[in-house]
Amino acid sequence: MKLALEHVTFGYGKTQVIKDMNLELTPGVYGLLGPNGAGKSTLISLLVTNRIPDSGRILWNGREISGEGAAYRGVLGFKPQQQSIYPELRVREFLYYMADLKEVPGKEQENAIDELLRRLNLERHQHKRMKALSGGMLQRALLAQALLGDPSLIILDEPTAGLDPMERINMRKLIGELSGNRIVLLATHIIEDIATIAKEILFMNHGKILLRGDLKVLEEYYEAGRREGRMTGVEMQDEIMILENLYYDLFHEASCSLM
């Protein structure tokens, strides 16, 4: 099982947002990190076929996704960042509606929905309208629809947005349990969301994957920038400065916890 990008570019007008990107993902959880404007949302739009690359190819198991249509959508589970989805539908109605859109066979829908409601602790909330759910329950409902059809590729856009600390921990645990024989891509700007569950962290900025590895790799990259004097006022846009602004405290907390 493999998702691959080969020399993918995409832009809005004259602004190139994704720049000659090459990337290969195999089963496991990947954290996609980067500041606002890094290109994360555009990359996700390309992966879920909402947009088509200007050049290059996106391949699922060696086949270009733009030509796979329903076959690719059948292996894809997507939880968008947007939270105001079908606010008047009750949770169970929403899941049936999404199951129809994902072409889950009718005879399988009830058991699949019952299992997801149980697994995501939504059984007591299944008759509430989507607009009446708390932030944590809404994120769980959106995750439930992403899991309909038992997808092999799961893409989660800011799944802990708006959650309190305990809900964030619970969501991280749920996402960690999704790993195994699946590819899970989790886009976030909160490094602690993926520090303990990600197989690899992908650090993105300026339309490129600048770095991939575990938290230690990012920390070493950051520390190398400090030693080499790349954190001056003249270089405020340097990616190492962005790492400092976003992750300085967490890096040092992680280092202290290992002592």
Side-chain angles (χ1 to χ4, degrees):
M1 184 186 306
K2 184 169 68 174
L3 177 68
L5 285 75
E6 297 180 348
H7 301 289
V8 170
T9 64
F10 180 83
Y12 300 99
K14 296 182 179 179
T15 303
Q16 198 171 56
V17 181
I18 303 297
K19 304 174 182 177
D20 193 30
M21 183 174 290
N22 293 285
L23 183 64
E24 185 175 298
L25 304 180
T26 55
V29 178
Y30 296 84
L32 180 62
L33 290 174
N36 291 334
K40 302 191 303 296
S41 294
T42 300
L43 175 59
I44 287 173
S45 292
L46 292 168
L47 294 177
V48 302
T49 68
N50 286 343
R51 300 188 184 278
I52 299 172
D54 294 331
S55 62
R57 302 191 303 166
I58 303 175
L59 307 173
W60 173 254
N61 292 333
R63 299 174 67 91
E64 197 160 358
I65 65 173
S66 60
E68 290 295 281
Y72 178 68
R73 291 192 296 273
V75 302
L76 174 66
F78 173 48
K79 192 210 82 65
Q81 184 177 0
Q82 178 187 2
Q83 296 188 31
S84 58
I85 297 178
Y86 305 111
E88 297 299 328
L89 288 183
R90 302 184 190 277
V91 172
R92 193 175 186 91
E93 293 172 337
F94 168 68
L95 293 177
Y96 271 113
Y97 177 67
M98 296 305 296
D100 282 339
L101 289 182
K102 297 178 77 169
E103 299 183 358
V104 177
K107 62 183 180 181
E108 299 176 12
Q109 290 185 9
E110 184 173 4
N111 287 340
I113 289 170
D114 285 343
E115 172 59 20
L116 287 169
L117 289 170
R118 182 197 63 77
R119 184 178 181 187
L120 295 176
N121 195 26
L122 285 167
E123 289 174 302
R124 292 186 296 110
H125 306 278
Q126 62 182 297
H127 300 301
K128 290 182 179 177
R129 298 190 189 277
M130 295 287 286
K131 66 181 181 181
L133 297 179
S134 68
M137 289 299 106
L138 180 57
Q139 292 286 29
R140 286 171 180 266
L142 294 176
L143 179 59
Q145 65 79 28
L147 297 178
L148 284 165
D150 193 25
S152 301
L153 171 62
I154 300 173
I155 298 175
L156 308 174
D157 193 0
E158 300 284 356
T160 65
L163 302 189
D164 64 35
M166 185 55 66
E167 289 175 326
R168 181 173 288 131
I169 290 170
N170 290 335
M171 183 61 77
R172 288 203 296 265
K173 181 180 177 182
L174 285 169
I175 294 169
E177 292 172 355
L178 297 177
S179 59
N181 195 32
R182 287 190 177 102
I183 297 172
V184 181
L185 181 65
L186 190 167
T188 183
H189 64 280
I190 305 172
I191 200 168
E192 61 187 321
D193 281 350
I194 44 82
T196 59
I197 63 173
K199 171 182 178 178
E200 279 192 306
I201 297 169
L202 311 175
F203 180 70
M204 183 175 182
N205 198 23
H206 308 303
K208 297 181 178 181
I209 301 296
L210 300 176
L211 191 69
R212 61 184 296 176
D214 60 13
L215 182 60
K216 188 66 176 176
V217 170
L218 267 72
E219 184 177 3
E220 290 171 351
Y221 186 64
Y222 166 83
E223 294 295 347
R226 288 175 59 88
R227 289 195 303 271
E228 295 164 12
R230 288 188 277 136
M231 292 183 185
T232 66
V234 176
E235 298 182 15
M236 291 295 288
Q237 297 304 311
D238 187 277
E239 64 267 17
I240 206 73
M241 193 66 188
I242 294 167
L243 281 169
E244 179 182 63
N245 291 339
L246 290 176
Y247 310 134
Y248 179 84
D249 292 338
L250 282 165
F251 280 156
H252 283 264
E253 286 177 9
S255 298
C256 291
S257 67
L258 296 175
M259 295 180 180

